[in-house]
Amino acid sequence: MPVQPLPSLSTWPAAPTLPLAQLRRQIPPAELGFASTAELIHLSPGWIGQQRAREATDFGLHLDAPDYHLFVLGEPGSGRSSLLRQALHEAAQQRPVPPDLAFLHHFEQPLRPLALRLPPGQGRVLRQALQQLSRQLPTDIPAQLEGAEVMLAAELIETGFEREEKHTLAGLEDLATRHGFKLGRTGEGDSERLQLLVREDRKAGPDTGPSDAEILVRREMAQALARLREREQARDQALSELQEKTLKPWLQSVFERSLASVSGLTEADQALLHRWSQAAQREALDEIELFLPRAGEDDEADRKADLAHWQSCLKLNLAVDQAEQRGAPVVIEDNPQMRSLFGCIEHPGGEDAGPPDHNAIHAGALLRAHGGYLMLHLADLAEDEGLWDRLRRFLRSRLLQIEDAGGSGAPAGASLQPEPLALSLRLVLIGTPDAYYKLQDSEPEMARRFRVKVDFADRFADHPDHRQAMAIWMGQRCQALGLPQVDASGVAALLEQSHRLADDQGYLSAQLGSVEMDLIESAAACRRRGAPWVSAADVASALQARARRHNLPEQELLERIRHGEHLLSTEGQALGQVNAMSQIDTGDHRFGVPMRITARTQAGHGGVLNIEREVKLSGPIHDKGVMILQGFLHQLLAEQAPLALSASLVFEQEYDGVEGDSASCAELFALLSALSGLPLRQGIAVTGALNQHGEVLPVGGLNEKIEGWFQVCRDAGLSGEHGVLIPARNQRQLMLSHEVLAAVAAGQFKVYTMAHVAQGMELLSGRRLLGLDADAAAAQPSVQSLALQTLAAYRRACQRAQGGARGRRRG
C-alpha cells in the first residue's frame, strides 16, 4: 500500500502567538449586574448548572415503581448530597405520612412478636391506653373479686367445703376411736397431713404386721381423704369459675374501652388488635394469682416480679412514631451500621435477666424510612461486606427482618423472631462515577435495583444565568456561615477561579465545596483588613496564602533548579534536547514540573529505545505515545524505509516514573533534532500529544505546566525569548495567573500554539519540517531533508559493517 503523503508546507503556517486576551477568561465586575451578593440572598440559586441531574431526581423521586432507586454519581464537593437532601424534603412534602409501626407481645408464641400498623399518631394513643390498662388491672382485678356478691358466693363455696370436710373428719375420728386408734396431724400449712396414731396398748409386736382393724381404718381413711381431695378440687374449680364469671365481662369491657380510643385502623390491623386483646384477657384470667397478694414475704416479692413482667407484655413498643411527621419521612444515615440500618433486638442486661420480649425491638433507618426516602453513601456501605450483602438481600425481597443485635451471649433459640416487614421506600445512594461503573460491572443484579442514574456534571457552561446562580449561592453560604458578603469584584474573582478549577474558559467548575473554601478563606482575609465586603483583593490574598501553605514541594524543586542541581537550559540552542512540561498533583496542590528530554541517534537497527520503559519507569499511556511517535516518524521518513536507525529517548533526572502522552511532541522534536543536526531553542518549553498524522492533541494541567516553566524563566531572568508551545486545541483551557499575564503584556513571555508538529518544529529549529525539493534543500534544507540525509549515511554505515562482517567470515 503506498504511503499517504503528509500535508504540504503551505498547510501549516508558522506557530501563532496568542494575544493577551486569550490567555485568561476575565470577568468585568460591571457585567454581573449587582453591587454585592447581599442583594441576591433572597433569591433561589436552583441546581446551578445541574439540570440533567435535577430532571433525573424529579423522575426518580416521584415514580412509584419497584427497583427505581436512585444512584447519585458525582465527585465529592459537587453539591450532590446537599441538593439531593433538599430535593428529598421537597418531594416528601407531597407524599402522605406513612403509618406508625409498632410491636405487640404474642401471648400464644412469645418469641414471635406481632407487627401492627396504625394511622399516624394513633400509636401514641394506643400506647397510652395500654399503659393505663397495665396500671389499672393490678388494683381493679382484686377490687372486682372483693365485691359483696362475689365474696358472699365465695364464702358459700368455702363454707360448703368446710362443712363437708368437718363431717368427713368427724366420721374418721369416730371410726378410729371405735377400733382403738386416734387421728393426728403433722406438718404445717400446705404440708399438713392427717395421720393415724396407734395407742401404746394396741401396738403389735415386733414380728407381727398391722392388725385387721388397723388395715380397715387406714383403708377407710384413704378413701375418705380421696373424696375430700376431689371435693377440694371441685371447690377450687367453683371458685375459679366464679372469678372468671366475675372478671370476663368486666375485662372485655375494660379492654374495649381502652382500644376504642384508637381510630382509622385497616380491617386487617383491627382484626389483629382484636385477637391480641382476646389473648391478653385469657392470659389475665389464667394468671389471676398474680393479682392476689400472698402471705409469705418471699412469695409476695416473687409475685410482684412476675406481675411486672406480665404488665410489660401489655405495653406497645412504638418502634416508629409518625405523630409529628409532616409528609413522608426523609432519613439521612451518615454512619450506617448493621443495627442502625436494619434495626436490632437488644437483650436485657444482667445475669438474672430473662429472654428479651417485644419491647427489645429497635427500629433502624430502613424501618424509619418506610413510606419515604433513605439516603446513604456507597463508600460507607462498601467497607462492610456483611452490611452490603444484607442490603442486597433486602432490595431483592423488599422484606425487612429485624434480627438479634449479636454479642449478647443469649442462649440458642431464645432470640425473638419478629415477622418480616414489607417495606416501601426509595433508596438514594451517593457515590463517585468510578464506584457507579464498578457496580455496573461487578454486581449487575444489585445495579439493576438502581434504575435512576442522577449524574452530576463536574462543570457547566459559563452562562449569565449560571453566574447569577453562583452569586446567589455565594451570598446564601456567606449568610449561613456568618461571613461578610462579597462585592462584585470578589464574585468576579471567585468566578474566574471557578473557570481555573474547570480548566476551561467556557465552563465553570461544579466543585461547590472548593468555591466554599475560597469563600471562607477570602472572608478571613477581608476581616483581617477590617473591610465590610469581600473583594477581589481578598480572593487573591487567600489564594496566595493557600498556595504558600501547600507549595513546599514545588518551591524545593525550583530551588534545586536555581542551584543547578536539576539541569535545565533556558537560553540558547541545543542539539537533541528540548524542555518539556509535566504536572504533579499532590492532592492539595497542583504545580508544573519542567524537565529536559534528550535524544541520541546512531546507525543500527534497534529502532527508538524508550529508556523509561526499559527501566520500568513509564506507564502504558506514555509507552503508547512513544509508539505513536514512531508511527509518525516512519511516515515522515518513509523514503529511507526500513530505517537503519538506533535511537534513545530519556527524561533527564526523572526517578519517580513518567505517565501520560503529553510529552510525545517534545520527544519527537528531540529525535528530529538529533537526526537532522538542527539545534532547538531552549527558552521555549513544549507540551502536547500527537497522533500518527502529526496532528497535535490537547493535554491536561496546562495552566500549571505553563506557570511552572514561567517561574523557572523568571528566576533565570526573562529576556523576551522565553515562552511555551502548547496545542492549539488547548487554547480554551488557558486561565493563566496575573503574573504571567503581566509578563506577556510586557513582551517578556510568549504563548505559542501548534495544530501540527510541523509548526512546532519550525518554531524551535527555524526550519520547516517538510520539503524534499532539491533547490529548496540546497538553499535551506528542511528538517525532513536533513534527517533523510543522516539516515542515508546510517544505512551506508550499516551496509559497510555488514559487508566487513561477511568478509571476515569468509576469511
Side-chain angles (χ1 to χ4, degrees):
M1 179 180 293
V3 176
Q4 295 296 323
L6 288 165
S8 65
L9 180 62
S10 60
T11 305
W12 304 111
T17 304
L18 290 181
L20 185 67
Q22 295 182 6
L23 302 183
R24 181 181 177 93
R25 177 74 173 92
Q26 301 194 68
I27 301 174
E31 289 184 0
L32 297 176
F34 54 82
S36 77
T37 53
E39 304 171 18
L40 310 174
I41 55 178
H42 64 284
L43 301 175
S44 172
W47 280 47
I48 316 183
Q50 301 290 359
Q51 187 59 32
R52 178 195 301 272
R54 179 71 211 233
E55 292 172 359
T57 300
D58 289 342
F59 171 77
L61 295 185
H62 294 93
L63 179 65
D64 289 324
D67 294 335
Y68 275 84
H69 302 288
L70 286 72
F71 195 112
V72 182
L73 55 155
E75 295 297 337
S78 62
R80 53 186 186 168
S81 298
S82 57
L83 288 173
L84 259 294
R85 186 181 292 110
Q86 174 187 331
L88 290 176
H89 285 288
E90 292 173 356
Q93 295 304 309
Q94 304 174 32
R95 300 179 69 87
V97 180
D100 293 342
L101 295 170
F103 292 95
L104 289 164
H105 178 71
H106 197 317
F107 288 98
E108 286 83 7
Q109 301 179 62
L111 294 179
R112 304 282 292 178
L114 301 171
L116 179 67
R117 287 176 168 81
L118 304 106
Q122 292 300 299
R124 290 187 181 183
V125 175
L126 180 57
R127 181 175 61 184
Q128 184 176 359
L130 294 182
Q131 285 175 344
Q132 178 62 32
L133 185 62
S134 69
R135 289 193 296 265
Q136 175 186 357
L137 293 181
T139 56
D140 287 3
I141 285 179
Q144 289 293 319
L145 296 179
E146 291 171 0
E149 292 184 5
V150 180
M151 294 293 287
L152 179 59
E155 185 178 353
L156 289 174
I157 295 172
E158 290 283 5
T159 302
F161 173 74
E162 290 173 0
R163 187 169 50 249
E164 185 172 348
E165 182 183 36
K166 185 182 297 185
H167 176 73
T168 300
L169 293 177
L172 286 175
E173 185 73 33
D174 181 63
L175 177 65
T177 302
R178 283 190 283 111
H179 288 82
F181 300 97
K182 63 179 182 179
L183 297 178
R185 295 182 182 273
T186 61
E188 295 180 357
D190 294 338
S191 63
E192 184 181 26
R193 296 179 60 191
L194 192 66
Q195 186 176 13
L196 181 64
L197 302 176
V198 183
R199 297 202 308 264
E200 289 294 332
D201 59 343
R202 299 298 302 271
K203 288 183 179 180
D207 297 329
T208 61
S211 65
D212 293 340
E214 184 180 349
I215 293 173
L216 172 65
V217 173
R218 289 188 182 278
R219 183 170 61 245
E220 288 295 330
M221 187 173 68
Q223 292 173 355
L225 292 177
R227 290 192 300 271
L228 198 58
R229 282 193 297 271
E230 291 176 0
R231 186 66 188 90
E232 186 178 15
Q233 291 174 355
R235 177 204 63 180
D236 293 343
Q237 179 66 26
L239 289 172
S240 178
E241 290 174 356
L242 174 63
Q243 292 173 338
E244 182 172 346
K245 181 180 178 181
T246 303
L247 294 175
K248 188 172 183 179
W250 176 81
L251 280 172
Q252 183 170 350
S253 174
V254 170
F255 270 83
E256 286 178 354
R257 285 197 305 271
S258 296
L259 301 182
S261 58
V262 182
S263 61
L265 291 174
T266 64
E267 290 186 7
D269 289 314
Q270 182 70 49
L272 185 151
L273 190 57
H274 176 73
R275 292 194 301 272
W276 176 86
S277 172
Q278 294 298 313
Q281 294 173 50
R282 288 194 300 271
E283 185 79 6
L285 293 173
D286 293 340
E287 301 290 343
I288 292 296
E289 293 81 4
L290 294 177
F291 300 91
L292 303 177
R294 297 175 185 171
E297 184 177 334
D298 292 340
D299 290 343
E300 179 63 9
D302 291 341
R303 180 193 73 84
K304 289 183 177 179
D306 292 340
L307 178 61
H309 174 71
W310 190 90
Q311 286 177 291
S312 71
C313 294
L314 287 186
K315 291 182 180 179
L316 180 77
N317 179 2
L318 186 55
V320 180
D321 183 3
Q322 305 286 15
E324 307 295 335
Q325 187 67 37
R326 299 294 179 266
V330 175
V331 180
I332 312 297
E333 184 55 68
D334 291 322
N335 185 28
Q337 306 292 329
M338 197 70 76
R339 59 196 304 156
S340 65
L341 186 58
F342 295 95
C344 65
I345 299 170
E346 292 284 1
H347 283 262
E351 296 180 357
D352 298 331
D357 60 16
H358 69 291
N359 294 299
I361 301 173
H362 297 273
L366 284 168
L367 192 58
R368 289 186 282 114
H370 173 61
Y373 306 100
L374 171 61
M375 189 168 83
L376 300 167
H377 285 263
L378 178 60
D380 297 333
L381 300 170
E383 295 177 358
D384 189 333
E385 186 65 28
L387 191 67
W388 181 248
D389 287 342
R390 192 169 174 189
L391 181 63
R392 184 192 296 111
R393 293 195 299 271
F394 166 75
L395 291 176
R396 182 175 61 245
S397 66
R398 294 188 286 277
L399 292 174
L400 175 65
Q401 178 68 64
I402 300 178
E403 298 176 355
D404 196 308
S408 62
S415 296
L416 295 186
Q417 298 178 16
E419 61 179 283
L421 298 170
L423 300 186
S424 174
L425 69 146
R426 189 53 44 87
L427 185 61
V428 178
L429 196 57
I430 309 290
T432 63
D434 287 345
Y436 173 80
Y437 293 112
K438 181 179 179 181
L439 182 66
Q440 292 282 337
D441 182 57
S442 62
E443 297 193 56
E445 180 184 356
M446 186 66 166
R448 75 179 185 88
R449 310 291 177 193
F450 294 87
R451 294 177 176 173
V452 182
K453 176 185 179 184
V454 181
D455 202 346
F456 273 74
D458 57 3
R459 62 180 191 169
F460 48 85
D462 178 25
H463 186 276
D465 291 344
H466 293 158
R467 289 188 190 177
Q468 180 86 349
M470 285 284 283
I472 295 169
W473 179 85
M474 291 178 194
Q476 292 182 350
R477 292 310 298 157
C478 287
Q479 185 180 47
L481 297 171
L483 306 176
Q485 294 291 325
V486 189
D487 68 16
S489 73
V491 172
L494 289 167
L495 290 175
E496 289 181 20
Q497 177 63 13
S498 182
H499 279 289
R500 168 110 177 184
L501 288 174
D503 284 324
D504 203 300
Q505 296 180 5
Y507 285 86
L508 293 165
S509 172
Q511 291 296 309
L512 298 182
S514 295
V515 180
E516 181 173 300
M517 180 174 64
D518 295 339
L519 266 178
I520 294 171
E521 296 176 14
S522 300
C526 170
R527 283 173 170 160
R528 282 195 298 271
R529 66 184 183 91
W533 310 101
V534 176
S535 69
D538 298 316
V539 176
S541 175
L543 294 177
Q544 290 170 4
R546 185 192 305 160
R548 180 169 176 78
R549 292 194 300 271
H550 296 280
N551 70 355
L552 179 60
E554 178 183 13
Q555 294 305 310
E556 289 176 341
L557 173 64
L558 292 174
E559 190 72 18
R560 290 197 298 272
I561 294 174
R562 282 194 292 268
H563 291 164
E565 298 171 21
H566 193 96
L567 300 182
L568 282 176
S569 299
T570 61
E571 301 291 342
Q573 296 179 323
L575 187 66
Q577 178 177 302
V578 67
N579 291 317
M581 298 180 286
S582 65
Q583 178 201 244
I584 290 179
D585 189 342
T586 61
D588 57 10
H589 183 62
R590 295 188 304 177
F591 60 95
V593 179
M595 59 181 61
R596 174 185 290 179
I597 295 176
T598 58
R600 298 293 299 272
T601 65
Q602 60 185 4
H605 300 284
V608 178
L609 176 67
N610 175 10
I611 293 180
E612 262 66 36
R613 181 180 62 191
E614 295 300 315
V615 297
K616 297 181 172 54
L617 279 179
S618 65
I621 298 176
H622 175 260
D623 295 341
K624 176 183 177 182
V626 174
M627 292 178 183
I628 292 173
L629 177 158
Q630 292 183 69
F632 173 74
L633 195 65
H634 280 278
Q635 183 184 21
L636 179 69
L637 307 175
E639 185 175 297
Q640 285 292 335
L643 303 182
L645 170 70
S646 289
S648 61
L649 279 171
V650 66
F651 285 75
E652 302 287 354
Q653 293 183 283
E654 174 54 50
Y655 310 110
D656 295 325
V658 178
E659 179 57 316
D661 59 357
S662 64
S664 54
C665 282
E667 291 171 308
L668 174 68
F669 297 151
L671 272 174
L672 290 175
S673 171
L675 272 174
S676 64
L678 295 171
L680 302 178
R681 294 171 62 180
Q682 299 299 292
I684 298 177
V686 179
T687 186
L690 78 156
N691 64 19
Q692 292 191 102
H693 301 291
E695 296 169 315
V696 181
L697 307 178
V699 296
L702 191 65
N703 295 295
E704 290 79 12
K705 291 176 179 179
I706 294 174
E707 290 165 4
W709 174 246
F710 171 80
Q711 291 182 78
V712 171
C713 297
R714 179 200 60 195
D715 292 345
L718 293 171
S719 63
E721 297 298 320
H722 296 112
V724 291
L725 177 61
I726 65 171
R729 292 174 176 84
N730 266 130
Q731 180 177 323
R732 62 178 295 159
Q733 276 77 49
L734 290 172
M735 285 295 297
L736 295 174
S737 69
H738 291 287
E739 185 182 8
V740 175
L741 296 186
V744 171
Q748 297 176 322
F749 195 79
K750 297 180 178 63
V751 178
Y752 302 95
T753 65
M754 56 178 170
H756 190 277
V757 292
Q759 296 172 293
M761 193 62 194
E762 183 172 357
L763 175 69
L764 295 176
S765 67
R767 300 288 184 93
R768 66 188 187 280
L769 174 64
L770 306 177
L772 299 177
D773 182 78
D775 295 336
Q780 192 177 42
S782 69
V783 175
Q784 182 185 30
S785 177
L786 292 172
L788 287 172
Q789 293 176 24
T790 301
L791 288 172
Y794 285 171
R795 180 181 295 278
R796 289 191 296 271
C798 288
Q799 290 172 345
R800 286 195 301 271
Q802 291 173 352
R806 284 195 297 271
R808 287 193 297 273
R809 285 198 296 272
R810 284 196 298 271

